[in-house]
Amino acid sequence: MNPQAIQAIKSRLVLSDVVRRYVDLRPVSGRFMGACPFHQETKPSMSVNDEEGFFYCFGCQASGDVIDFYKRINGLEFREALEQLAAEAGVDLGDQREDPEAQERQRRKKVLLDMHEQSREFFRAALRRNEGKAARAYLARRGIEPRIVDAFGLGYSPDDWHGLDAFLQGKGHGPELGVEAGLLSKNEKGKIYDRFRGRLIFPIQNLSGRVIAFGGRIISEGEPKYLNSSDTPIYKKGEHLYGLYQARQTMTRSKRALLTEGYMDVLSLHQFGYTDACGVLGTALTGDQVRRLAGFCSRVDLVFDGDNAGRKAALKSSEMILLQGVACRVILLPEGEDVDSVLQKEGPEGFEKCLKAAKDGLAFALETLRDQFAPRETMAWAKGFFEKLADDGLRAYYLPRLVSGLGVSEVELRQALGTSQAGRGPVRERAPLAAVRPVGKDDKNDREYLRFPIQYPEYVRDLADRGFERVLTTDWARGLWEKIRLHDGQDLLPWLEEGEKKFWARCRQERAEHQLTGETLKEEWLYICDRVAESHEKHARRQLTEALRDALQEGDSRQAQEHLQALNVFLGRDDEQH
């Protein structure tokens, strides 16, 4: 991590400008307030402080800086969020000391991204030419309007074994690089040719809008009907969703994602006004995809065909969503129909009927299990579902609902699940004590003490000189103080863990609302100084007591007498204070 580069990104990007892409903000007392996008909220519970560069939600305690916000709402890893914001801010991250090969990998990824942008233009141009006539006719038959074609950048891959290959070579990209990019294919004999031929092309974009892969539908006869890019250094199909780039802003307002299976279904939904729709990419829904959606919305509505295959897919997908703690509904279309056919035949009115008949995800799953599975299969599903839940709170939430939905007693279900207490899943190996942040009186006291240097950092150096760390009793508090001391006067947020960020942001938010001044601040400072002094005396007294005990055990009467006299001084002070 390069602190200078991070600071440069923050200095060039205004936090509220980034947040405003996803949340409606309004000014309140020198900061901004908006509905938090990280939990189900309609009232303005999130504060955005541009002056100090942090956000904080009073409801779910989500907090951090511009990188934390961008990372979380886009479902990205820290490094990925950092790279995207650096590119936007025009900052060279530079620091590659942790991985000498990282710079080369980044250079190669940039080349692959450029190749995909060039390929998209190649496909779009082909769709407009005479060779794309059949693809244009297909789109017209499906009722897809030109504005949707343009918005999603649809194209056509000519029925030519080397059309794209020749185009890329003209741009200076060799065939082997085209294979690495997933744009070309190589057979067992080593011959290289275009991967997509005679297909309607659907560009797949990341959350920055860059094209990272393609999907292709055959226009003439041939198999497979749909062909997708394989995994490459810039694309993992289990991590991305088709149309999420176009849908993300609507999702943050509607708090809903309409998730369907096909490319054409996504296009039709957007055309008819359902612009919070996106689609899976030829694979079963994954946890990574759900987490990415959860950054934009609080509920996922699954839209599947009403046939047996659609029900099975809906069961697996709803389970995946529920495991992530995200609300879910299942929308089953009339048998023999898909999203596109319902919208084209009946318009939004017909689709709204399907939405109104949607079932809660868990209720749908349990109903499907009761109707189509044997009792032992149903209980095996419930056991597997519980074992996959990583959060005790979710177990407590789902247990009574499983009892009600499966029609069994709570005792029977607990026995089947291997748990004897409500809300507790199967016995798991406990985390080591050092990994568990202590909670209790000591922890509460430490938080009160730490609140002062966080809210009034101008006192950090004086507190450090006075030995402030001695007043802290928990490892968590000492660790946070050490970071505060080491990074005094610098940007602290990049160095904090998630729990530390929440506490820091809450303290800073409290100062913004109730800043101490004058005599009140002086009294608080003197109180902290007294506590530090007391801790020093307790430490010195403990050391003297231990030294006295050691001298007595060794028979050193002179040393024992000196230690006893020094200890009486402390005891005398205590008498004076009382």
Side-chain angles (χ1 to χ4, degrees):
M1 183 166 59
N2 184 334
Q4 291 76 28
I6 290 174
Q7 196 57 44
I9 291 170
K10 292 183 178 183
S11 68
R12 298 185 190 186
L13 297 177
V14 178
L15 174 61
S16 61
D17 288 345
V18 175
V19 175
R20 198 175 278 109
R21 300 173 193 173
Y22 311 90
V23 178
D24 290 328
L25 296 177
R26 60 184 179 87
V28 177
S29 303
R31 62 187 189 280
F32 295 94
M33 296 294 295
C36 178
F38 303 121
H39 73 290
Q40 196 160 2
E41 184 62 83
T42 56
K43 297 179 180 178
S45 63
M46 186 176 71
S47 171
V48 177
N49 189 320
D50 277 339
E51 184 178 351
E52 298 194 39
F54 75 91
F55 70 95
Y56 177 75
C57 174
F58 295 95
C60 69
Q61 283 78 57
S63 57
D65 56 18
V66 65
I67 301 169
D68 293 306
F69 182 88
Y70 190 82
K71 169 175 76 80
R72 184 163 182 173
I73 200 161
N74 289 314
L76 305 173
E77 295 298 324
F78 175 81
R79 183 73 194 184
E80 191 177 4
L82 191 65
E83 289 169 353
Q84 292 186 15
L85 288 175
E88 181 177 333
V91 173
D92 181 8
L93 293 177
D95 186 8
Q96 304 293 338
R97 288 172 295 176
E98 294 182 8
D99 184 354
E101 298 177 357
Q103 192 169 1
E104 173 58 24
R105 286 201 303 270
Q106 283 303 112
R107 186 198 67 78
R108 201 142 182 101
K109 282 184 178 180
K110 184 180 184 306
V111 172
L112 299 185
L113 287 169
D114 290 343
M115 291 175 69
H116 276 77
E117 291 291 345
Q118 292 160 357
S119 298
R120 172 168 65 173
E121 293 310 310
F122 172 83
F123 293 138
R124 292 184 72 176
L127 180 64
R128 293 191 293 266
R129 292 195 296 264
N130 187 57
E131 56 195 329
K133 184 177 180 180
R136 295 197 302 274
Y138 173 80
L139 289 169
R141 286 198 305 274
R142 297 293 298 263
I144 302 299
E145 297 174 359
R147 63 183 178 87
I148 298 297
V149 173
D150 290 339
F152 284 81
L154 302 190
Y156 175 70
S157 58
D159 196 6
D160 183 339
W161 288 86
H162 297 285
L164 181 60
D165 183 11
F167 173 80
L168 291 174
Q169 288 194 52
K171 297 288 185 179
H173 306 302
E176 291 291 345
L177 192 59
V179 173
E180 183 183 351
L183 299 167
L184 308 178
S185 297
K186 180 192 284 189
N187 63 19
E188 295 177 354
K189 295 181 179 179
K191 291 186 177 181
I192 294 176
Y193 51 92
D194 288 6
R195 179 180 179 85
F196 300 100
R197 303 179 307 280
R199 292 178 179 272
L200 179 64
I201 294 294
F202 305 88
I204 299 164
Q205 295 167 272
N206 63 18
L207 289 167
S208 297
R210 298 297 302 271
V211 178
I212 53 175
F214 294 100
R217 189 198 191 283
I218 197 75
I219 295 299
S220 56
E221 296 297 321
E223 292 292 337
K225 181 179 178 181
Y226 282 95
L227 179 66
N228 297 313
S229 290
S230 57
D231 285 355
T232 69
I234 60 172
Y235 172 68
K236 299 289 183 290
K237 68 177 66 174
E239 296 178 0
H240 299 276
L241 293 148
Y242 179 65
L244 182 57
Y245 172 72
Q246 287 83 357
R248 71 198 192 289
Q249 291 188 348
T250 305
M251 285 181 187
T252 61
R253 295 193 295 270
S254 69
K255 303 299 180 187
R256 174 192 71 175
L258 279 171
L259 184 62
T260 186
E261 293 182 290
Y263 293 106
M264 297 301 294
D265 289 341
V266 173
L267 299 182
S268 289
L269 284 165
H270 277 256
Q271 179 168 308
F272 281 89
Y274 297 96
T275 53
D276 50 3
C278 60
V280 293
L281 290 162
T283 62
L285 186 66
T286 67
D288 285 334
Q289 290 171 325
V290 176
R291 284 188 288 274
R292 190 155 290 199
L293 283 174
F296 296 96
C297 62
S298 55
R299 190 185 83 219
V300 178
D301 286 356
L302 296 166
V303 188
F304 287 99
D305 298 349
D307 57 16
N308 195 43
R311 284 181 169 273
K312 286 183 177 179
L315 176 61
K316 289 182 179 179
S317 296
S318 58
E319 177 186 2
M320 180 61 66
I321 294 166
L322 294 168
L323 285 171
Q324 300 295 327
V326 178
C328 171
R329 295 197 312 168
V330 177
I331 300 156
L332 290 176
L333 303 172
E335 192 159 353
E337 302 283 358
D338 57 24
V339 176
D340 182 51
S341 64
V342 169
L343 287 169
Q344 296 292 347
K345 290 177 184 176
E346 303 178 42
E349 297 79 11
F351 188 64
E352 284 296 326
K353 292 178 185 176
C354 299
L355 289 177
K356 289 177 182 177
K359 296 181 180 180
D360 171 77
L362 184 60
F364 166 81
L366 296 176
E367 177 185 306
T368 303
L369 289 164
R370 289 196 308 269
D371 293 346
Q372 300 183 17
F373 290 77
R376 58 183 176 81
E377 293 175 310
T378 300
M379 296 308 292
W381 180 91
K383 189 172 188 297
F385 180 77
F386 244 63
E387 288 175 346
K388 294 171 190 171
L389 285 170
D391 185 89
D392 283 339
L394 288 177
R395 294 193 196 99
Y397 177 83
Y398 283 128
L399 184 66
R401 288 161 177 78
L402 286 173
V403 167
S404 174
L406 294 175
V408 298
S409 73
E410 195 167 322
V411 173
E412 289 173 328
L413 184 58
R414 285 181 184 157
Q415 289 175 343
L417 299 176
T419 176
S420 59
Q421 297 182 40
R424 297 192 64 181
V427 177
R428 296 175 179 226
E429 184 179 344
R430 290 182 180 271
L433 288 177
V436 181
R437 184 174 61 76
V439 177
K441 182 179 178 181
D442 288 343
D443 186 60
K444 185 177 180 181
N445 289 340
D446 284 353
R447 285 169 176 264
E448 287 301 316
Y449 295 138
L450 281 169
R451 181 174 276 105
F452 186 82
I454 291 174
Q455 292 182 342
Y456 303 95
E458 60 269 27
Y459 290 91
V460 167
R461 187 166 297 178
D462 283 341
L463 287 172
D465 291 341
R466 292 170 183 267
F468 178 75
E469 69 278 357
R470 292 193 190 281
V471 81
L472 304 173
T473 58
T474 61
D475 291 340
W476 175 83
R478 291 193 191 102
L480 178 53
W481 165 249
E482 184 66 8
K483 293 175 183 177
I484 293 171
R485 186 185 65 80
L486 285 174
H487 301 286
D488 180 30
Q490 303 172 28
D491 185 9
L492 180 63
L493 279 172
W495 306 98
L496 301 183
E497 303 294 335
E498 193 64 34
E500 295 170 336
K501 283 180 183 176
K502 289 180 179 180
F503 178 65
W504 183 92
R506 186 162 66 248
C507 291
R508 295 302 302 173
Q509 185 62 39
E510 287 173 1
R511 169 174 170 151
E513 296 174 356
H514 308 288
Q515 182 173 349
L516 301 180
T517 58
E519 285 299 317
T520 310
L521 177 59
K522 182 180 178 181
E523 288 175 9
E524 187 73 11
W525 164 244
L526 292 175
Y527 172 80
I528 294 292
C529 290
D530 287 345
R531 301 291 77 75
V532 173
E534 285 177 8
S535 69
H536 276 290
E537 288 191 3
K538 287 180 181 178
H539 178 72
R541 188 185 310 160
R542 188 163 52 247
Q543 286 186 320
L544 283 171
T545 302
E546 292 173 357
L548 174 60
R549 185 180 61 245
D550 293 342
L552 290 172
Q553 288 176 348
E554 294 171 4
D556 189 339
S557 58
R558 185 179 63 81
Q559 281 284 352
Q561 184 64 28
E562 290 178 1
H563 294 324
L564 183 59
Q565 288 175 352
L567 192 57
N568 284 333
V569 173
F570 281 108
L571 294 174
R573 288 180 189 172
D574 285 346
D575 289 339
E576 289 174 7
Q577 291 172 359
H578 288 84

